[in-house]
Amino acid sequence: MTKKIYTRNLNHLQSLIGLKIESAFQEQYFFEGKLDEESLGTLKLEFSNGQELTFDCNQNAKSLHIQLGEFIDKTNFKTDFDNQYEWKIKEYLSSKQLLELGKIKKCFIELLSTEYDNGLIQSGCKLEFENGHYLQIWIIESDNIFYGLNSKPPYYENLKVELKEIPISF
């Protein structure tokens, strides 16, 4: 992953401190009509300042990519492969759940030790809320993204992972 994307991820996370999540949607992926359960799909969060961010895998298929804006248009991908692929947008967290979370109090970047990419990759992030709950987002190699409220990645016990808090200004 390039230093540019790493820096952009950190800037996006830093900009979330003090904001509320207004909506949370996931882009579910279907192949030949069946839901792909190897990945939860791209996550899009809209914040109280109107900013929208999508959380997905980077092109290297093993690190986090946070990007401004909507889900990527996949119309050409669908038609190029005889409509074998389909994506559906689904609400991930209800407005009631989001309201209960409150403002984002802290953000963390997850750094995974690896033999690639100079020893560390940004493999996920964690958003901590006023009410004590957190949203964890993580990448598993092979282009799979997962996330959950108060959920930790299953690989934490087997790999060397560090959560590094993002300061309000760095």
Side-chain angles (χ1 to χ4, degrees):
M1 180 187 247
T2 67
K3 184 175 175 139
K4 181 179 175 183
I5 292 174
Y6 272 179
T7 302
R8 189 173 26 208
N9 284 348
L10 294 173
N11 286 333
H12 286 314
L13 290 171
Q14 182 187 42
S15 75
L16 303 180
I17 298 170
L19 300 179
K20 291 182 180 182
I21 299 175
E22 298 291 326
S23 66
F25 290 91
Q26 71 182 125
E27 185 180 49
Q28 295 180 316
Y29 163 66
F30 294 79
F31 178 71
E32 295 181 343
K34 292 185 178 182
L35 177 63
D36 176 23
E37 295 180 3
E38 290 182 18
S39 177
L40 290 179
T42 303
L43 178 66
K44 182 182 87 167
L45 303 176
E46 183 178 345
F47 298 92
S48 51
N49 65 353
Q51 176 175 276
E52 293 180 348
L53 292 176
T54 56
F55 296 76
D56 202 357
C57 296
N58 191 34
Q59 292 173 342
N60 67 12
K62 58 188 170 205
S63 59
L64 181 66
H65 187 208
I66 304 171
Q67 181 170 294
L68 278 173
E70 292 284 332
F71 293 113
I72 296 171
D73 180 17
K74 296 181 177 73
T75 306
N76 288 340
F77 192 73
K78 285 168 62 172
T79 56
D80 289 349
F81 292 95
D82 299 325
N83 292 316
Q84 290 180 311
Y85 299 96
E86 183 180 357
W87 289 265
K88 293 182 182 176
I89 309 297
K90 177 183 171 192
E91 184 178 60
Y92 177 65
L93 296 171
S94 70
S95 54
K96 182 181 180 216
Q97 288 173 297
L98 293 171
L99 187 61
E100 290 172 358
L101 294 174
K103 292 180 181 178
I104 297 169
K105 185 172 73 171
K106 294 180 183 177
C107 292
F108 299 84
I109 193 72
E110 179 184 284
L111 301 171
L112 173 66
S113 292
T114 176
E115 59 192 66
Y116 310 105
D117 298 310
N118 296 322
L120 288 174
I121 59 171
Q122 291 180 349
S123 55
C125 65
K126 178 179 173 181
L127 310 178
E128 216 173 82
F129 299 95
E130 287 178 320
N131 73 351
H133 292 286
Y134 62 90
L135 175 63
Q136 187 106 10
I137 302 166
W138 66 93
I139 304 298
I140 294 178
E141 197 169 335
S142 297
D143 204 23
N144 294 316
I145 184 167
F146 295 91
Y147 33 87
L149 275 179
N150 305 317
S151 297
K152 288 185 180 178
Y155 56 75
Y156 268 19
E157 296 173 15
N158 302 325
L159 300 173
K160 187 175 179 201
V161 178
E162 174 189 356
L163 278 172
K164 184 176 179 184
E165 185 174 348
I166 308 291
I168 292 177
S169 65
F170 63 91

